[in-house]
Amino acid sequence: MKINHHPDASTLMSYAAGSLPEVLSAVVAAHIEVCPRCAAEVAEMERIGASLFERIEAVPMLEPALGANEKSSTQELAQLLDTRFAAEDPDESVLTRLLGRELSDVHWKRLGFGIWHHPIQLSPGTQGDLRLIKVAPGQVMPEHGHGGSELTLVLEGAYSDETGCYRTGDVSDLGDDVEHRPISDPSEGCICLIASEQKARFKDVVARIFQPLTGL
Ligand SMILES: [Zn+2]
């Protein structure tokens, strides 16, 4: 798999520190599984983070300042780094674990002409939206922006937008300042895993009217 688009360094760093929102972390975890380059970067960031913690704890002057709460949150952070999306079964992918089934067994719901989706439940109270989107070949999505970050991982096929062409394994890491109109590959279409911190902002009036029905 030739991967050309990766999450931003700041996104990987937040993921490694355990501070990236869960909805975005799910997409990063699924990408890392297929991208040795990002997996190595995250491992290195985690190693540096862990050694910083060790150094802080080794400074005797700071020890009296650390109360019981600070110590427990440090321990919780260390646990979050590896376990949040790691598969218990080594043969099970992050995506299969998120879906509770194989991608081929997903029950798609029609969202519009040539577009299907499958919302994914995260932990109760988690902010943001995580879903699979399946788009027929050559389909144009309505132009939209976002109130927060949007991470998209291509699982099958490809799509293009104003920021580039994204193929299987690629990640699009968009901030809230980008508006885009994705178009799926004319022969393959695409299936993507999309995480949004907040709901999309559609320019098109019809898309806005139907937005409450779709949950997008
Ligand atoms: Zn990568």
Side-chain angles (χ1 to χ4, degrees):
M1 190 184 296
K2 172 94 173 70
I3 297 177
N4 293 312
H5 298 278
H6 307 267
D8 292 344
S10 59
T11 303
L12 291 179
M13 202 170 287
S14 299
Y15 175 84
S19 59
L20 193 69
E22 184 176 344
V23 67
L24 302 177
S25 294
V27 173
V28 173
H31 173 73
I32 283 172
E33 206 170 43
V34 295
C35 180
R37 178 179 132 173
C38 287
E41 276 188 45
V42 167
E44 179 64 8
M45 288 168 180
E46 288 185 354
R47 194 189 62 73
I48 292 167
S51 70
L52 280 175
F53 277 127
E54 279 166 19
R55 232 178 284 169
I56 289 167
E57 288 183 355
V59 178
M61 290 292 287
L62 284 179
E63 274 192 356
L66 284 172
N69 288 341
E70 283 84 351
K71 276 186 178 167
S72 70
S73 68
T74 304
Q75 283 165 356
E76 283 166 19
L77 181 60
Q79 285 167 3
L80 277 177
L81 292 180
D82 299 319
T83 58
R84 205 156 38 156
F85 296 104
E88 286 153 12
D89 175 355
D91 294 330
E92 188 182 59
S93 69
V94 170
L95 184 68
T96 304
R97 193 170 178 202
L98 286 168
L99 294 171
R101 67 190 73 201
E102 297 293 328
L103 182 58
S104 54
D105 295 330
V106 165
H107 302 298
W108 295 97
K109 278 181 13 192
R110 192 170 177 272
L111 197 55
F113 182 76
I115 305 174
W116 297 263
H117 73 147
H118 176 76
I120 299 171
Q121 294 293 324
L122 287 171
S123 316
T126 303
Q127 297 274 316
D129 183 271
L130 184 67
R131 68 182 66 219
L132 294 172
I133 297 272
K134 182 165 81 165
V135 188
Q139 185 70 34
V140 182
M141 301 282 283
E143 186 173 10
H144 63 280
H146 309 274
S149 296
E150 181 188 75
L151 278 179
T152 302
L153 170 66
V154 182
L155 301 171
E156 289 181 12
Y159 77 90
S160 304
D161 67 10
E162 294 82 343
T163 65
C165 178
Y166 298 86
R167 304 188 175 283
T168 305
D170 283 340
V171 163
S172 158
D173 190 345
L174 297 181
D176 56 6
D177 53 341
V178 179
E179 296 205 332
H180 65 147
R181 186 196 291 264
I183 304 169
S184 67
D185 183 87
S187 59
E188 295 178 275
C190 65
I191 296 177
C192 298
L193 176 66
I194 305 181
S196 317
E197 277 192 293
Q198 292 178 27
K199 298 215 178 278
R201 291 191 307 259
F202 289 104
K203 274 192 165 180
D204 182 80
V205 174
V206 176
R208 281 210 302 271
I209 289 170
F210 284 100
Q211 190 170 12
L213 299 176
T214 64
L216 283 173

